[in-house]
Amino acid sequence: MNDVESLDELDQKKRRRHKRIVKCRPRKKKRHCVLKSKKKRKKIIVRTIINNPPPDVTNIAPSPVTVNPTVNVDSTLTVAPFRRLCNRAHIGTFANPNSIDIADPSTDPRAVPYPSTITVTGLEGFITKVTVNLLDLSGNNFDAREILLAGPDGITNTLLTSDAGGMLGFAHVFLTFDDSAAGPIPDDGPLVSGTYQPTNYEEIENLNSPAPPTSPVVALSNFNGLAPNGVWSLYVTSDSPIGGAFVIAEGWTITITTTEPEDCTFTPL
């Protein structure tokens, strides 16, 4: 019992602090007592993470893939003709080959005839483009000549040329007027054959009667959207008495493009 008594003599504070349990086991002829703490042990979990590098795919040859698509077509499917609104273009060129002359502008600045006319017939739809050719011009001081084109309504018009081309003499010149040309007639000349935009370098002036009041817009597109058929008039005059004689020996032509809306039928192939 000495062993038990010595156990009772243990420090009571220490026993309370550790909360020990006494277990005595017989060992030889003496008791062997073990003080075992009930203090809980902490568990520590260690996880090992291994970062493996990605495999090297740079030297891996791609495997070929064969695709055999199958398309099923319904042989009974048919597409019927269909209709829609479309535009049909018409182009017509009309001519007056008679000469246009100014004999002496000091006595009468108007050309003969005044105006020179062309009757347009058979075009359908509405105007989308107009071009004019003046054929075989000769004379002096083209800067003094004023030429105006009027449409079939007698009101719509544009100057073709005014105060342009210089004062030098010229002979057998052929002029085309087209809004799409690269540029106007040179102001100071010389006047040479070519395609020009309608040209005016001075203030807009009205020509001698019976020409209509001159449009302030100098462009053949003034006629766009109008009906093409009827009498087109070319007024040629001189604004200076010192211009001398002038002639358009082979007359003039007009080319008109129109578009006509129509109901179109399309048949699939």
Side-chain angles (χ1 to χ4, degrees):
M1 298 299 291
N2 291 337
D3 291 336
V4 175
E5 290 177 358
S6 61
L7 180 60
D8 292 337
E9 293 175 358
L10 291 175
D11 188 345
Q12 296 297 325
K13 293 182 180 181
K14 190 174 181 180
R15 290 180 63 192
R16 285 194 301 269
R17 184 170 60 250
H18 293 283
K19 298 179 182 179
R20 294 179 176 178
I21 298 174
V22 178
K23 291 185 178 182
C24 298
R25 298 176 184 175
R27 187 174 180 179
K28 295 182 180 180
K29 293 182 178 181
K30 296 182 180 181
R31 286 187 179 183
H32 178 70
C33 295
V34 178
L35 299 179
K36 187 174 181 180
S37 175
K38 291 183 65 178
K39 188 175 182 180
K40 295 182 179 179
R41 296 180 182 179
K42 293 183 179 180
K43 294 183 179 180
I44 300 175
I45 299 175
V46 179
R47 296 179 179 176
T48 303
I49 300 175
I50 300 176
N51 292 323
N52 293 324
D56 185 5
V57 297
T58 57
N59 297 320
I60 299 177
S63 301
V65 178
T66 302
V67 179
N68 296 314
T70 302
V71 179
N72 296 320
V73 179
D74 185 355
S75 60
T76 63
L77 181 64
T78 60
V79 180
F82 59 93
R83 304 172 71 183
R84 59 168 292 182
L85 189 66
C86 57
N87 290 323
R88 176 175 300 221
H90 303 274
I91 301 175
T93 299
F94 306 86
N96 182 341
N98 297 320
S99 66
I100 303 169
D101 300 277
I102 297 178
D104 184 356
S106 63
T107 58
D108 190 347
R110 296 173 300 177
V112 178
Y114 187 82
S116 175
T117 61
I118 291 177
T119 300
V120 173
T121 60
L123 286 180
E124 299 179 355
F126 297 94
I127 296 171
T128 56
K129 186 176 181 63
V130 174
T131 60
V132 175
N133 293 303
L134 304 182
L135 309 175
D136 198 3
L137 287 69
S138 297
N140 296 291
N141 194 13
F142 191 70
D143 185 87
R145 318 304 173 178
E146 296 184 329
I147 303 176
L148 178 143
L149 176 69
D153 62 3
I155 300 173
T156 307
N157 67 83
T158 183
L159 284 169
L160 297 181
T161 179
S162 176
D163 302 297
M167 302 180 66
L168 298 177
F170 52 91
H172 307 296
V173 172
F174 292 77
L175 299 179
T176 298
F177 292 95
D178 186 337
D179 285 346
S180 301
I185 296 172
D187 187 9
D188 298 325
L191 184 67
V192 296
S193 297
T195 300
Y196 302 98
Q197 298 170 357
T199 307
N200 176 59
Y201 287 107
E202 302 292 341
E203 293 181 1
I204 296 294
E205 298 176 348
N206 290 331
L207 277 62
N208 301 91
S209 180
T214 304
S215 170
V217 179
V218 181
L220 287 161
S221 60
N222 289 353
F223 302 107
N224 288 359
L226 300 181
N229 296 323
V231 178
W232 292 75
S233 301
L234 189 71
Y235 294 89
V236 181
T237 186
S238 179
D239 65 2
S240 173
I242 61 173
F246 171 72
V247 62
I248 305 176
E250 299 179 26
W252 63 293
T253 68
I254 184 170
T255 300
I256 301 174
T257 302
T258 64
T259 57
E260 174 192 12
E262 64 177 1
D263 197 13
C264 300
T265 301
F266 298 87
T267 302
L269 297 178

